[in-house]
Amino acid sequence: MKCTIPLAPLLLSSAVSAASLSSLPVELETRSELDSRLANVHITRRGEVQGAVTYTYGACTSLDKRDAHHTISRAARPRKGVDSRLVWVAPEDVSSGGCISAWDSTDKLVGRSSPQHFTSDLKRRKRSGPSSIEMNREDGFDTWGPWFDGVALLEAKALADVDVAAAKSKTVGIAGAGMSGLMTWLVLHQSGFTNLTILEAGQRLGGRVRTEYLTGGPFDYSYQEMGPMRFPKEITIKNQTYNITDHQLVFQLAAELNELNNHAANWSVDFIPWIQSTPNGLSYKNGFKLPDTGMPPTLAQIKANSSLGGPPMIIDAATQTLQEKIDAITSDEDLMIAVATNMHKAHSEFLAAGLGGKGGDSWSEFGYMVNYLNATLNSTAIVGGDSSSFWGTIYDNVYFSASAWRTIDGGLSRLPAAFHPLVDGVTRMGNWVDGFSFDSCKQKVSLSLKNKKAEEFDYAIIAMPFSQVRKWRLPQWLPSTITSAIKNLPMGGACKVALEYRTRFWEHLENPIIGGCSTTTDIPGVGSVCYPSGNINGTGPATILASYASGDWATRWLSFSEEEHVQYMVDAMAEIHGDVASREYTGKYNRKCWFLDPLASGSWAEPEIGQHQLYLPEYFKTYNNIIFVGEQTSYTHAWIASALESGVRGAVQLLLELGLVDEAKAAVTKWMARWIEV
């Protein structure tokens, strides 16, 4: 039978009056809302206390420790003048109205808090707005995640008292200055940590966020994004517009950096509209061009006259039926709304129920189409079947169906660059982490550095792609579950080629092309062609993303020399746009194949079937003072928001490891970390 705590009376008994409470030698209080079962109890010692102290929760009038509902902690005598806290993990049957009490070694009452009031639903952190998430089974969340459960972590640790100053002075080494590493640093720094070090192998901030400036700087506007390019902001479905909520973290970070940098122009991060599609994008297929203009037809012209698009692809009835079934699943409007408004809940429900009730992440596209939809092998091969999960298709469908997009004026590299005034004093460039070890006697992590002496820290945050970490000789004590994730999580690839032109000739065609990635072609290996969204109708040189190839072509292009690859794209742009492209080409280019980058060895994580279910729980564990972050530990891979949310989670994970519950709650609230329960 569960016991309940009687509500505290309006007037305390004479034995424990308000006056007598103030004279007790130990002051107890909580300073954050009791909206979960997890809290810090702040302890201030004002007088002498005999021996170790027991802290309990129970009736506010009790003078007997045995009357308590539960024991919070047994700890050494609090030190005078030291900011000390308890970690309080309340049991599930806790009730409001009780008080926290302190009892000395003789069971004498030496401290008592004011009455404590929990919110009505301890399984939910109260949030405003439609994106709040109730973290319980009834709302589609299974016990293993896909969020980080701080309550469960601290239940298992059973921390006693916390010396806050000592905790915040712990040395923390962050391996990697990409977006996840920078975000981890920011959350910990703003939580009061004083000994943070970022170790970066290269000579720049940002990792796979990489803007290449072919002429001048950011506001000469001759640049292209060789990494991420844009942020989907809103989606309109059924005549209603929804925020794509998981990307709001990017906009929030930019606003925060602008504030921290006092809106200095050199470091400002300002968003402008990104043009994803345009009706004047060209469709160059089968070498066909309009006889009167000598140009390929635009998408608008094809829409008005379908014959300009050339003969349609002949698809047999079985394949057409299969395609319609798959589109109905991955582009279901209700599912897209769920993903846009509450990615975390939608993902969990997808894993639990999935497609056709068969479980989402347990079916490959190929297996689902052949074994469940009874499709032919021919139809499955045409529609597309491999070892990937449908989940990536689903969230990309939402993102790429966005009705409003944003990019950063002057290039996305301005986002990590805005960290320079904040982190330059704690960042060491040219320090390539290539392994780690743990000294169980000293309780220290050692990060080994290529061609340099290893460095020792109390904790380490590994913010590097698993494609890099898998090159290390991982220690034997690391559990096979996480080593499997590191070694077996596939990385996707991309090759991009940017070409600079003297003028924005595409904006002055008979049918001007204003931004967008709408030009398509069947020239092999080109992929997407994107025109700049910034400085429309400006003067001076500008740069086209002449090729964005992923998948199979990301690997094929590796066998070409840079000169061959670039010349192929120069010729392709001239074939599509005509002689003007040849005349205007400046000879400046940039080619980036991410599989060739020694610091990345790939573009993004691409989990295969079952890997989310298998690996996500492992990423949320701490291994001998080592925490892993990065977009590979998220579940919407390849986007900046994925890296940022992993950084928030990694920082909160460390805060909780050290018992800093108040700071963890503040970080979760500030950064809208709706997938973390504290």
Side-chain angles (χ1 to χ4, degrees):
M1 171 176 150
K2 293 184 178 179
C3 74
T4 58
I5 300 170
L7 292 177
L10 293 176
L11 295 175
L12 297 172
S13 69
S14 59
V16 279
S17 65
S20 64
L21 281 180
S22 64
S23 65
L24 293 175
V26 177
E27 181 182 343
L28 303 168
E29 62 177 333
T30 55
R31 297 177 184 173
S32 59
E33 185 180 11
L34 299 180
D35 52 2
S36 78
R37 293 168 44 224
L38 198 57
N40 269 147
V41 179
H42 293 253
I43 306 168
T44 304
R45 183 181 142 204
R46 298 177 295 206
E48 289 305 312
V49 177
Q50 185 156 338
V53 178
T54 300
Y55 300 90
T56 65
Y57 181 71
C60 294
T61 55
S62 173
L63 292 176
D64 190 333
K65 183 176 73 173
R66 293 172 296 181
D67 294 337
H69 176 264
H70 64 274
T71 297
I72 296 173
S73 177
R74 292 180 178 86
R77 181 176 60 173
R79 288 178 289 166
K80 207 167 185 178
V82 174
D83 182 5
S84 184
R85 303 182 200 173
L86 302 176
V87 174
W88 182 14
V89 184
E92 292 186 0
D93 64 345
V94 70
S95 300
S96 284
C99 291
I100 304 162
S101 300
W103 313 85
D104 68 9
S105 58
T106 67
D107 290 344
K108 175 185 174 184
L109 181 69
V110 293
R112 176 156 288 163
S113 72
S114 60
Q116 302 296 301
H117 298 287
F118 290 88
T119 56
S120 58
D121 183 358
L122 296 184
K123 298 232 181 238
R124 177 180 181 179
R125 298 188 314 278
K126 297 294 185 184
R127 298 197 184 284
S128 59
S131 297
S132 297
I133 297 179
E134 293 189 12
M135 300 232 178
N136 56 47
R137 237 180 238 281
E138 289 70 32
D139 280 336
F141 285 85
D142 204 350
T143 52
W144 62 267
W147 75 95
F148 177 73
D149 190 341
V151 179
L153 183 149
L154 288 184
E155 277 183 321
K157 289 187 72 69
L159 291 176
D161 57 325
V162 176
D163 183 332
V164 176
K168 292 186 178 182
S169 64
K170 296 286 187 185
T171 57
V172 181
I174 301 173
M179 295 311 304
S180 62
L182 293 172
M183 191 70 191
T184 305
W185 174 87
L186 181 61
V187 177
L188 292 176
H189 172 73
Q190 293 188 329
S191 298
F193 278 67
T194 56
N195 286 308
L196 303 172
T197 300
I198 301 174
L199 301 172
E200 167 55 39
Q203 297 296 329
R204 51 183 291 277
L205 302 178
R208 284 168 283 175
V209 177
R210 192 180 189 99
T211 308
E212 289 292 342
Y213 301 97
L214 279 75
T215 290
F219 302 110
D220 293 296
Y221 290 104
S222 185
Y223 62 79
Q224 265 299 336
E225 306 293 354
M226 309 311 283
M229 301 189 291
R230 61 224 152 167
F231 310 102
K233 187 173 186 291
E234 298 171 348
I235 186 170
T236 301
I237 302 174
K238 298 180 180 179
N239 296 319
Q240 186 169 345
T241 298
Y242 303 87
N243 281 332
I244 300 178
T245 54
D246 49 315
H247 287 271
Q248 298 301 309
L249 192 55
V250 179
F251 306 125
Q252 185 189 0
L253 173 62
E256 180 78 4
L257 291 172
N258 288 340
E259 286 289 326
L260 293 172
N261 291 325
N262 297 312
H263 296 274
N266 285 349
W267 308 112
S268 65
V269 181
D270 303 303
F271 293 94
I272 58 174
W274 165 271
I275 303 168
Q276 176 63 19
S277 59
T278 174
N280 284 346
L282 303 174
S283 178
Y284 181 61
K285 308 289 177 64
N286 298 313
F288 175 74
K289 294 187 177 183
L290 297 171
D292 54 339
T293 64
M295 291 291 292
T298 67
L299 299 182
Q301 289 170 331
I302 292 173
K303 185 176 180 180
N305 181 0
S306 60
S307 66
L308 297 178
M313 180 184 294
I314 299 174
I315 301 177
D316 62 276
T319 301
Q320 181 66 35
T321 299
L322 177 61
Q323 184 67 67
E324 291 170 357
K325 288 180 179 179
I326 298 303
D327 289 346
I329 293 168
T330 58
S331 301
D332 176 78
E333 289 187 333
D334 290 333
L335 176 59
M336 293 176 75
I337 292 170
V339 169
T341 58
N342 193 325
M343 175 73 74
H344 311 85
K345 180 179 175 182
H347 178 254
S348 184
E349 289 176 343
F350 172 76
L351 292 181
L355 306 169
K358 292 293 182 178
D361 207 35
S362 60
W363 279 85
S364 69
E365 297 183 13
F366 187 93
Y368 181 81
M369 287 186 276
V370 171
N371 298 316
Y372 186 71
L373 296 180
N374 298 316
T376 66
L377 293 178
N378 178 67
S379 296
T380 302
I382 294 173
V383 172
D386 54 27
S387 59
S388 64
S389 164
F390 277 99
W391 174 246
T393 303
I394 289 169
Y395 71 75
D396 272 347
N397 274 353
V398 173
Y399 295 165
F400 286 105
S401 298
S403 52
W405 295 76
R406 294 292 182 270
T407 190
I408 295 175
D409 195 15
L412 263 64
S413 282
R414 290 187 63 79
L415 182 64
F419 277 91
H420 272 293
L422 309 174
V423 305
D424 279 355
V426 298
T427 302
R428 284 189 247 149
M429 300 292 186
N431 283 263
W432 190 324
V433 177
D434 62 0
F436 58 78
S437 59
F438 181 73
D439 188 320
S440 58
C441 296
K442 296 193 291 183
Q443 291 292 295
K444 298 277 188 179
V445 178
S446 181
L447 294 179
S448 60
L449 301 172
K450 186 179 290 187
N451 302 322
K452 293 186 179 182
K453 185 180 178 181
E455 296 208 27
E456 202 171 65
F457 300 93
D458 293 312
Y459 286 85
I461 311 290
I462 308 301
M464 299 169 64
F466 280 176
S467 52
Q468 290 295 94
V469 180
R470 68 176 49 135
K471 300 175 184 177
W472 303 351
R473 297 182 67 178
L474 298 171
Q476 292 296 312
W477 50 258
L478 203 62
S480 61
T481 44
I482 189 64
T483 58
S484 176
I486 292 169
K487 293 177 179 178
N488 297 322
L489 185 69
M491 292 292 291
C495 278
K496 292 186 173 185
V497 175
L499 304 176
E500 185 187 69
Y501 296 90
R502 294 183 180 85
T503 65
R504 296 169 171 260
F505 68 83
W506 52 90
E507 295 178 358
H508 304 287
L509 298 172
E510 182 177 342
N511 298 297
I513 303 174
I514 307 299
C517 298
S518 299
T519 289
T520 60
T521 180
D522 59 2
I523 299 175
V526 172
S528 298
V529 179
C530 298
Y531 307 87
S533 291
N535 198 32
I536 301 299
N537 291 322
T539 58
T543 301
I544 289 177
L545 185 63
S547 173
Y548 180 2
S550 58
D552 180 51
W553 273 101
T555 305
R556 290 193 189 191
W557 280 122
L558 301 182
S559 64
F560 286 67
S561 69
E562 182 173 89
E563 292 75 15
E564 290 174 314
H565 190 176
V566 171
Q567 188 60 51
Y568 184 96
M569 295 308 164
V570 170
D571 295 340
M573 293 304 100
E575 185 176 346
I576 294 170
H577 300 93
D579 292 341
V580 64
S582 297
R583 294 195 305 270
E584 295 296 302
Y585 177 50
T586 66
K588 292 184 179 180
Y589 64 85
N590 188 269
R591 180 228 201 185
K592 185 69 178 177
C593 288
W594 284 97
F595 276 138
L596 296 176
D597 188 311
L599 303 184
S601 303
S603 300
W604 51 73
E606 287 189 337
E608 295 180 347
I609 55 168
Q611 290 190 336
H612 272 172
Q613 289 169 305
L614 177 62
Y615 296 149
L616 276 174
E618 300 308 312
Y619 303 146
F620 301 160
K621 296 177 182 177
T622 303
Y623 306 91
N624 284 341
N625 296 6
I626 295 166
I627 294 171
F628 293 95
V629 300
E631 58 89 16
Q632 68 270 11
T633 69
S634 180
Y635 45 90
T636 54
H637 313 279
W639 298 86
I640 290 179
S642 310
L644 297 183
E645 71 166 40
S646 80
V648 175
R649 186 265 306 159
V652 169
Q653 188 170 335
L654 179 54
L655 290 169
L656 293 176
E657 287 282 342
L658 295 171
L660 301 172
V661 177
D662 285 352
E663 287 79 357
K665 285 190 172 187
V668 165
T669 300
K670 176 173 182 173
W671 295 105
M672 302 182 294
R674 298 167 294 113
W675 64 96
I676 301 175
E677 182 168 0
V678 292

